[in-house]
Amino acid sequence: MVKIKRFSTEDDKVSIEIYLSQEGSFVLQKFVQKYDSEEEVFYEVRVTPDPAGLFGDIDSATQEAKALIGLE
């Protein structure tokens, strides 16, 4: 899979990435920022399961990604 776009909330704590699969459809992956108090560092983890849906075009994938994180 190839990463196409990334959308993040204003505080960068939640992100959605759009990937192009080998089959030609677009899929979404969700990431959240966490803080490790022992290490005193922020890191990013992928939230599973991925947001549902396969998208046939980048516009519908973009619309869904923005809606999932409240940008639309």
Side-chain angles (χ1 to χ4, degrees), residues 2 4 6 8 11 16-18 22 25-26 31-32 35 38 45 51-52 54 58 61 63-64 68:
V2 177
I4 303 297
R6 178 182 175 100
S8 300
D11 60 7
I16 300 286
E17 293 182 351
I18 301 174
Q22 293 177 347
S25 59
F26 295 91
F31 297 86
V32 295
Y35 181 72
E38 286 184 20
V45 295
L54 293 175
I58 190 67
Q63 184 178 13
E64 181 66 14
L68 285 170

Side-chain angles (χ1 to χ4, degrees), residues 5-41:
K5 288 186 180 182
R6 178 182 175 100
F7 298 96
S8 300
T9 56
E10 285 187 31
D11 60 7
D12 288 329
K13 291 189 177 190
V14 180
S15 300
I16 300 286
E17 293 182 351
I18 301 174
Y19 286 85
L20 177 60
S21 71
Q22 293 177 347
E23 295 80 28
S25 59
F26 295 91
V27 295
L28 306 180
Q29 293 182 354
K30 184 176 182 178
F31 297 86
V32 295
Q33 188 180 78
K34 300 285 184 175
Y35 181 72
D36 184 336
S37 59
E38 286 184 20
E39 299 290 328
E40 297 182 349
V41 66

